[in-house]
Amino acid sequence: MKNNFDVIVVGAGPAGTTAALRMAQKGLQVLLLERGEVPGAKNMFGGVLCNCPVLNEFFPNFWNHAPWERYVVKRIVTFMVPESSTSLVFETENFDRPPYNGYSLLRPVFDKWYAEKAQEAGAKLVCGCTVEDVLQNGKAVTGVRVAREAGDVQAKVVIAADGVLSFLAQKAGLRKEFAPSQMALGIKALFRLKEEWINERFNVVRRQGVSQEFIGCTQGIRGGGFIYTQTDSLSVGLVLHLDSLKKSSIAPYELFESFISAFPVRRLLKGGQLLEYSAHLLPEGGYRMVPRLFTDGMIVAGDAAALCYTNGLTQEGMNLAITSGFLAAETVIEAFNKGDFSGRQLSGYERRLQESFVLKDMKTFKKTADLMYVDRLFSVYPALVGAIMEQIFRSDGKPRKKIGPIAWQTLKGSVKMRQFISDIIKGGRSLIK
């Protein structure tokens, strides 16, 4: 490996590979460093990539080229209690034709394919490479130090796409230590299941897929569960807020065992073979968690920039990472055209993000992060939904009540009215207003 490049990109995930691919297409000498043995080797993602125009710009009719598993036509939100579950199901023919609205995929497969495309464009990929430090001249970043002989590698610009705990962003002074309240633990298991069983159990055909989120499955800990369908496997897991998990003193594996043993999940997994089990930290602070995004000679992208958010029903991150990588590349290309790699010039990256859907969406739902701190959302209200539905459908020879009185009586016995009104107002502000 030579010791001087135009740009060094650290992390061959969606953000880093996108940046490397775009800059290599424009003729820059790009070094793409990856800590894993191959891109995606250490990634546990088994979720949904929302439709991302950047990919279609790279690969027209992207869906005909990329190694995705299923396209998502059905979204399910399930409120769970030990005795019952209530599901809201949305499906539409509009998501059943290209360009598809979202794709389930396996990151070890997708990341490897994506990095190969960056290499074909001219980027140099080096795997099994740990970055130990940033090189600086004063405050300006001038390269990185890797754990190899003669490991100092110089570049005009470094793009830090090294994940949620971004060592590089911290070393460059762009962010401080994150608080546990801003982080979540993602737990995921991959279960092998026959393709025809998945189609039958989720009522889909061909390559149609389903995304299902669960609320009320975490024993009162802030968080939720998920199932994503792949071709012949299911990604099943939990997302748990770190501070709430710590207070509970419940082991994560106990929560996971309880989740997959619950009736609504157990019946979907019947006959499945556990292939792997992993855990990973996720940024959960939303817009307020986004650090400073640039400095002299450096840009931060993807999870390293905390570009991930929830709107209360779904969580988006991979499409934001890809877009941020593309905009980072465009900023660097412009910097090379002007011969200026100062923070002032690289600040165009933040402007581009502000003008894109990335930071616009994160601003739109920035108050949703506050809603996620309402403990009752993960315990009281799922139980309330279950109790109301049971009374509505129960047939026991007694006179029936209208839905209004059933809901009112159940509500009064579950939560104080002042708390309920406060939660309604907070939810309205975060999701509607």
Side-chain angles (χ1 to χ4, degrees):
M1 183 171 69
K2 69 176 188 177
N3 291 82
N4 201 296
F5 289 83
D6 291 332
V7 188
I8 298 170
V9 181
V10 182
T17 298
T18 300
L21 172 57
R22 182 59 172 174
M23 292 184 296
Q25 286 179 335
K26 295 299 182 178
L28 297 182
Q29 294 184 348
V30 181
L31 175 63
L32 178 59
L33 299 176
E34 168 56 37
R35 182 162 56 92
E37 295 180 0
V38 294
K42 59 184 180 61
N43 195 280
M44 61 156 284
F45 177 95
V48 174
L49 165 62
C50 296
N51 184 33
C52 188
V54 167
L55 291 173
N56 208 47
E57 182 168 334
F58 283 144
F59 317 105
N61 296 331
F62 155 80
W63 48 89
N64 291 330
H65 306 283
W68 49 273
E69 296 284 315
R70 291 175 181 259
Y71 62 90
V72 178
V73 295
K74 186 184 300 186
R75 308 297 296 248
I76 305 173
V77 178
T78 298
F79 298 90
M80 254 178 65
V81 292
E83 305 83 12
S84 65
S85 66
T86 304
S87 294
L88 302 175
V89 181
F90 174 79
E91 52 187 323
T92 171
E93 289 185 345
N94 293 330
F95 292 171
D96 199 23
R97 63 180 71 93
Y100 302 112
N101 189 64
Y103 309 83
S104 65
L105 52 83
L106 298 170
R107 281 281 299 278
V109 178
F110 179 86
D111 285 12
K112 184 174 181 294
W113 169 84
Y114 201 24
E116 287 172 354
K117 296 302 178 183
Q119 287 180 283
E120 291 173 8
K124 180 176 179 59
L125 172 66
V126 179
C127 295
C129 187
T130 301
V131 175
E132 296 183 324
D133 206 346
V134 293
L135 304 179
Q136 292 179 285
N137 181 6
K139 291 185 178 181
V141 175
T142 60
V144 299
R145 177 167 295 154
V146 299
R148 293 189 174 196
E149 186 178 352
D152 288 1
V153 188
Q154 305 283 339
K156 298 293 186 184
V157 181
V158 172
I159 295 180
D162 52 333
V164 61
L165 294 179
S166 185
F167 169 77
L168 296 184
Q170 187 174 1
K171 292 289 290 188
L174 294 178
R175 73 164 181 86
K176 299 178 181 179
E177 288 281 356
F178 292 129
S181 60
Q182 296 177 307
M183 306 293 285
L185 177 67
I187 304 169
K188 189 209 80 172
L190 187 68
F191 289 86
R192 177 76 67 196
L193 205 64
K194 291 181 179 180
E195 182 177 354
E196 57 267 31
W197 291 0
I198 293 175
N199 290 345
E200 178 184 353
R201 293 175 191 182
F202 289 90
N203 193 26
V204 291
V205 296
R206 302 182 305 278
R207 295 189 72 181
Q208 293 177 337
V210 175
S211 165
Q212 185 167 2
E213 279 77 34
F214 297 82
I215 303 173
C217 59
T218 55
Q219 299 184 29
I221 296 169
R222 296 196 305 273
F226 61 83
I227 295 180
Y228 302 119
T229 59
Q230 281 91 225
T231 303
D232 58 357
S233 64
L234 298 177
S235 290
V236 184
L238 298 171
V239 176
L240 307 165
H241 286 214
L242 276 186
D243 58 336
S244 184
L245 178 63
K246 181 178 179 181
K247 289 179 182 178
S248 74
S249 298
I250 303 175
Y253 69 85
E254 292 179 1
L255 290 167
F256 182 74
E257 289 291 340
S258 175
F259 174 58
I260 63 175
S261 299
F263 170 70
V265 180
R266 185 177 71 244
R267 63 187 178 85
L268 295 173
L269 296 180
K270 184 178 180 181
Q273 176 190 3
L274 178 62
L275 298 180
E276 63 181 29
Y277 176 90
S278 55
H280 191 68
L281 287 178
L282 305 168
E284 284 284 308
Y287 183 74
R288 298 186 186 97
M289 189 179 174
V290 176
R292 190 176 176 210
L293 296 168
F294 60 89
T295 188
D296 294 345
M298 177 182 268
I299 284 176
V300 186
D303 275 2
L307 298 179
C308 180
Y309 76 93
T310 178
N311 61 15
L313 296 176
T314 62
Q315 188 171 49
E316 294 195 21
M318 193 172 174
N319 56 331
L320 277 66
I322 289 171
T323 304
S324 72
F326 183 83
L327 297 179
E330 293 290 277
T331 303
V332 172
I333 292 165
E334 182 181 73
F336 270 90
N337 289 336
K338 294 183 177 182
D340 182 0
F341 311 102
S342 67
R344 181 177 180 180
Q345 176 63 39
L346 297 182
S347 67
Y349 170 59
E350 183 169 358
R351 173 181 52 79
R352 286 178 166 91
L353 281 175
Q354 294 282 5
E355 293 172 352
S356 75
F357 77 93
V358 175
L359 287 185
K360 285 183 178 180
D361 284 358
M362 292 190 72
K363 282 183 178 180
T364 297
F365 295 108
K366 68 179 181 180
K367 292 183 179 179
T368 308
D370 298 332
L371 181 64
M372 296 299 104
Y373 286 89
V374 178
D375 291 344
R376 291 178 292 279
L377 185 66
F378 308 99
S379 56
V380 174
Y381 295 132
L384 183 63
V385 170
I388 291 173
M389 298 305 292
E390 182 172 339
Q391 291 189 57
I392 289 173
F393 292 116
R394 179 184 291 277
S395 179
D396 55 7
K398 297 179 181 179
R400 291 186 178 274
K401 297 180 181 179
K402 291 184 177 180
I403 294 176
I406 289 176
W408 176 250
Q409 183 179 4
T410 306
L411 179 64
K412 286 196 303 181
S414 302
V415 62
K416 294 180 180 179
M417 188 54 56
R418 177 169 53 84
Q419 292 176 329
F420 179 69
I421 294 174
S422 174
D423 294 342
I424 290 293
I425 293 173
K426 184 174 289 188
R429 286 175 176 171
S430 65
L431 299 175
I432 301 173
K433 187 176 178 180

